[in-house]
Amino acid sequence: MESEITYAEVQFKNASPAEEVEVPQKKKKQEQRTQTYPPWLPWLISLLLLLVCAALVVALLVTHISRSCDEPTALQLNLTEWHCILAVPQGKGRGWKCCPEGWKRFQESCYYFSADQMPWDESQQNCSGMGSHLVVINTKAEQAFLYKQITPKNTYWGEGINLYIGLRAQEVGQWHWTDQTPYNVTAAFWRPGEPSNSTNEMCVVIHHEKQNLRNWNDVPCSIHSHRICETAAVTI
């Protein structure tokens, strides 16, 4: 008996074309999304933020420095009339040196010679109230300038005038300048025989006499004398 051969028809359900294409399309969309921004863009953004921060810091520093330079001193607030001299050639920045009207300029400082008289402590307070201090003499050139200012004709000062300077002793022989400048014996201009280093003579005056550059004298701090105030010249 011949064996029967049975054929079974097996059909496989093929995927639809739409389903075959669906997966690649999703992959393409994901690839497109991941490549939207170039890899160097975050570095560029970081660099720009850093530059902006640096620019802000520089601007703040410049503003602070400018305000510090332009901030008026007590002397500038109290006095409004100024006398200015061009100290450097034009075109080379800030070069006008200015002193209040009635003050005398020498190098980088302005000097005020008082017409009234008072004790040393009150003299220092008076100078301080104008944004200055009793004069501190550092060089022979400065001493010569002060001497010259006291000697012009038609002055209201007579011979033998005393003017307080910013030199004082807390202990006998221990001289100190009012602005804490170290006392330099080589730049001191005592009269012959001075200082007397007496316990009741702890302050110093310029005792003006003609043709005598060495004119410092220690005196009691309570005597009423004229004074010389000093402050830094204003540069504009």
Side-chain angles (χ1 to χ4, degrees):
M1 183 175 180
E2 295 182 0
S3 59
E4 292 183 0
I5 299 174
T6 302
Y7 295 91
E9 184 178 355
V10 180
Q11 294 182 353
F12 294 91
K13 188 177 181 180
N14 294 330
S16 65
E19 291 177 348
E20 290 179 354
V21 177
E22 184 178 357
V23 173
Q25 284 180 347
K26 289 182 179 179
K27 289 183 178 180
K28 283 185 178 180
K29 289 181 180 179
Q30 291 176 355
E31 290 177 357
Q32 289 176 355
R33 288 176 182 175
T34 55
Q35 295 179 1
T36 300
Y37 303 106
W40 45 264
L41 186 59
W43 295 97
L44 178 60
I45 294 174
S46 299
L47 179 60
L48 291 175
L49 290 174
L50 182 62
L51 291 175
V52 170
C53 292
L56 289 174
V57 171
V58 171
L60 289 173
L61 288 174
V62 170
T63 302
H64 176 72
I65 293 172
S66 176
R67 287 179 179 177
S68 298
C69 293
D70 297 334
E71 184 178 352
T73 63
L75 184 62
Q76 291 172 289
L77 291 173
N78 291 338
L79 301 171
T80 57
E81 296 184 3
W82 296 83
H83 177 68
C84 300
I85 298 176
L86 186 62
V88 299
Q90 292 184 356
K92 293 188 177 181
R94 291 158 46 120
W96 289 90
K97 299 291 184 181
C98 301
C99 289
E101 194 66 37
W103 292 56
K104 303 293 184 179
R105 189 186 71 87
F106 176 72
Q107 295 180 351
E108 302 298 320
S109 295
C110 304
Y111 301 86
Y112 171 77
F113 299 81
S114 76
D116 60 335
Q117 303 180 58
M118 56 184 62
W120 193 95
D121 286 331
E122 293 181 22
S123 295
Q124 173 59 16
Q125 291 175 6
N126 181 270
C127 292
S128 179
M130 295 190 294
S132 61
H133 54 76
L134 284 172
V135 63
V136 175
I137 303 170
N138 299 297
T139 64
K140 184 177 181 179
E142 187 177 17
Q143 170 72 6
F145 164 79
L146 298 174
Y147 174 81
K148 184 178 179 180
Q149 297 304 311
I150 302 170
T151 56
K153 295 179 180 179
N154 300 322
T155 179
Y156 46 74
W157 293 317
E159 286 298 312
I161 180 178
N162 290 327
L163 300 100
Y164 276 125
I165 64 176
L167 191 62
R168 184 172 182 172
Q170 297 299 328
E171 297 180 8
V172 175
Q174 302 297 315
W175 300 105
H176 298 280
W177 289 106
T178 186
D179 70 343
Q180 307 305 315
T181 296
Y183 171 70
N184 182 4
V185 67
T186 62
F189 303 93
W190 296 103
R191 295 176 64 195
E194 300 292 343
S196 57
N197 288 324
S198 171
T199 56
N200 65 337
E201 295 184 352
M202 306 290 274
C203 292
V204 180
V205 296
I206 286 179
H207 180 76
H208 177 254
E209 293 180 355
K210 288 184 178 180
Q211 308 302 322
N212 187 2
L213 195 62
R214 307 188 68 86
N215 52 21
W216 294 5
N217 186 23
D218 54 345
V219 297
C221 299
S222 59
I223 69 170
H224 286 63
S225 297
H226 299 285
R227 63 194 172 278
I228 307 174
C229 302
E230 178 185 5
T231 190
V234 176
T235 302
I236 60 174

